[in-house]
Amino acid sequence: MEQFLRGVSLVGSGSAYLPLTLTNHTLSQLVDTSDEWITSRTGIRQRHLVSHGDSLGTLASQAARQALAMAGVEPGAVQLILLATSTPDDLFGSACQVQADLGATQAVAFDLTAACSGFVFALVTAAQYIRTGVFQTVVVVGADVLSRWTDWSDRSTCVLFGDGAGAVVLQASDRDRLLGFELCSDGSLNDHLKLPYQAVPDPLTPELSVQKGGFTPIAMNGREIYKFAVSRVPQVIEKALFRADLTTGDIDWLLLHQANQRILDAVAERLQVAPDRVLSNMANHGNTSAASIPLALDEAVRAGQIQVGDTIAAAGFGAGVTWGSAIFQWG
Ligand code: UT7
């Protein structure tokens, strides 16, 4: 009889390489800011931008391909591709493009949008398909090209964001290494961070008009999002840890959405996690939205920081607003 493996293991990670770099110094030539302000308020020193000829889809495919190579999994064995993104190449979705690029012909593929929480939401969603025995091999990608939607004349937002993509491969296993999770949304705070569609009426006939408009650049109330993150993220991690029957003392690595070094420090302090247990790559990448967690995970795995069996408390937070935490063991 076929054995149903309903535990979830994370068996490979990958990220896209973006050679184009935008430093704080260059930004200070575009808007009224300085390296000193950006570094001291955010911890960001540079961010990477998508190159001409690349797209959200090509970055996502690159990250997925690397993750599959690390996992030793052939694209043909993948059954589901979940692409967490808010910046698809096509509003109908970009995951199918990734499926085609990879040659993952047996996989169903779709996009999932939860802004900077997207990767955590997608990881948990993917895990449910494995736990219910539907799929055995899944690729989860977090990718965003926020540079497309950044107002490059707005110093309060343009210094924060970068482009990127990261991916993980999940497989069914006899032991469940997704130990606990908690996901949250609060649409009443939506106005604090948005990339809204602005409708412009376009008359078809004197009586009938349709909406023809476009998306307007990212608008954020930084202070409110900061307060939201510092208060809600520790709570959601504690809830996820509770579900995992663990405490903060059991965490090897705290892996937060890379929005602001001050947020990472404040959350770690509230949870009493030592600074050397907090993964941070934002000095090099800035805030890459759905990509930030898998990108930091992949860098830490490849650097040998994260070892097989390590317990990681990941947490995403951002527009929606959405926030969530997943506690998992690597490998
Ligand atoms: O991924 C989604 C999640 N996003 C976040 O988590 C972002 C959360 N928020 C933050 O990280 C911070 O609120 C920011 C980094 C966005 C801003 O830092 P802050 O310490 O909250 O600064 P502030 O907005 O309170 O602004 C302080 C001052 C203001 O000047 P005045 O009014 O005091 O004269 C701003 O106009 O800094 C000014 N300012 C800047 N100055 C130089 C704002 N942006 C800049 C800038 N360069 N780039």
Side-chain angles (χ1 to χ4, degrees):
M1 209 178 88
E2 196 182 339
Q3 190 198 0
F4 279 98
L5 300 172
R6 293 188 170 179
V8 179
S9 284
L10 291 92
V11 293
S13 66
S15 50
Y17 171 65
L18 283 76
L20 273 189
T21 297
L22 174 58
T23 62
N24 290 351
H25 175 70
T26 306
L27 270 172
S28 67
Q29 294 166 350
L30 301 177
V31 288
D32 182 15
T33 191
S34 64
D35 177 47
E36 197 281 326
W37 192 96
I38 303 169
T39 308
S40 62
R41 299 283 181 132
T42 71
I44 300 166
R45 294 186 181 277
Q46 62 173 26
R47 64 291 289 145
H48 297 268
L49 301 180
V50 68
S51 303
H52 185 68
D54 268 328
S55 65
L56 187 281
T58 63
L59 299 187
S61 300
Q62 211 189 108
R65 215 172 276 119
Q66 259 202 11
L68 286 168
M70 184 190 283
V73 171
E74 291 298 325
V78 178
Q79 294 162 309
L80 169 67
I81 297 169
L82 262 184
L83 173 60
T85 188
S86 306
T87 53
D89 296 326
D90 183 329
L91 271 187
F92 287 149
S94 289
C96 294
Q97 192 56 54
V98 175
Q99 183 240 26
D101 285 352
L102 294 177
T105 52
Q106 302 306 307
V108 61
F110 61 93
D111 291 22
L112 182 153
T113 303
C116 303
S117 310
F119 178 78
V120 170
F121 279 39
L123 180 73
V124 169
T125 303
Q128 306 318 306
Y129 285 98
I130 293 177
R131 284 175 165 177
T132 50
V134 177
F135 297 129
Q136 282 77 49
T137 304
V138 179
V139 175
V140 178
V141 188
D144 267 311
V145 181
L146 287 185
S147 60
R148 289 175 176 169
W149 298 107
T150 300
D151 177 350
W152 290 102
S153 65
D154 175 9
R155 70 175 183 173
S156 71
T157 52
C158 76
V159 300
L160 304 173
F161 302 114
D163 302 334
V168 294
V169 177
L170 306 186
Q171 273 192 322
S173 68
D174 54 0
R175 227 180 99 203
D176 201 359
R177 290 172 178 84
L178 176 60
L179 308 173
F181 67 85
E182 178 78 12
L183 307 179
C184 306
S185 305
D186 184 352
S188 71
L189 302 177
N190 183 262
D191 264 0
H192 292 326
L193 179 50
K194 54 190 182 176
L195 201 174
Y197 179 80
Q198 201 150 43
V200 179
D202 183 27
L204 295 181
T205 69
E207 297 82 32
L208 210 59
S209 74
V210 290
Q211 293 187 2
K212 282 270 175 71
F215 290 92
T216 53
I218 298 166
M220 181 173 72
N221 181 335
R223 284 182 203 183
E224 288 303 323
I225 293 291
Y226 187 97
K227 280 193 279 183
F228 145 75
V230 169
S231 68
R232 305 288 179 90
V233 173
Q235 287 171 4
V236 83
I237 293 172
E238 277 172 342
K239 275 195 176 171
L241 282 168
F242 176 76
R243 293 190 195 287
D245 202 17
L246 297 175
T247 66
T248 48
D250 299 310
I251 300 172
D252 292 303
W253 300 104
L254 187 61
L255 174 52
L256 303 181
H257 167 50
Q258 307 283 299
N260 186 325
Q261 187 61 45
R262 285 157 53 213
I263 295 177
L264 268 60
D265 295 344
V267 171
E269 197 181 316
R270 285 199 188 191
L271 293 174
Q272 295 186 306
V273 173
D276 64 349
R277 300 282 98 190
V278 182
L279 295 169
S280 174
N281 67 356
M282 86 183 62
N284 183 27
H285 293 282
N287 177 346
T288 57
S289 190
S292 87
I293 292 175
L295 188 55
L297 176 75
D298 183 53
E299 288 190 352
V301 167
R302 285 173 198 276
Q305 269 182 299
I306 293 179
Q307 303 279 330
V308 170
D310 279 0
T311 300
I312 298 160
F317 54 91
V321 296
T322 53
W323 66 110
S325 173
I327 315 294
F328 58 87
Q329 271 179 336
W330 179 248

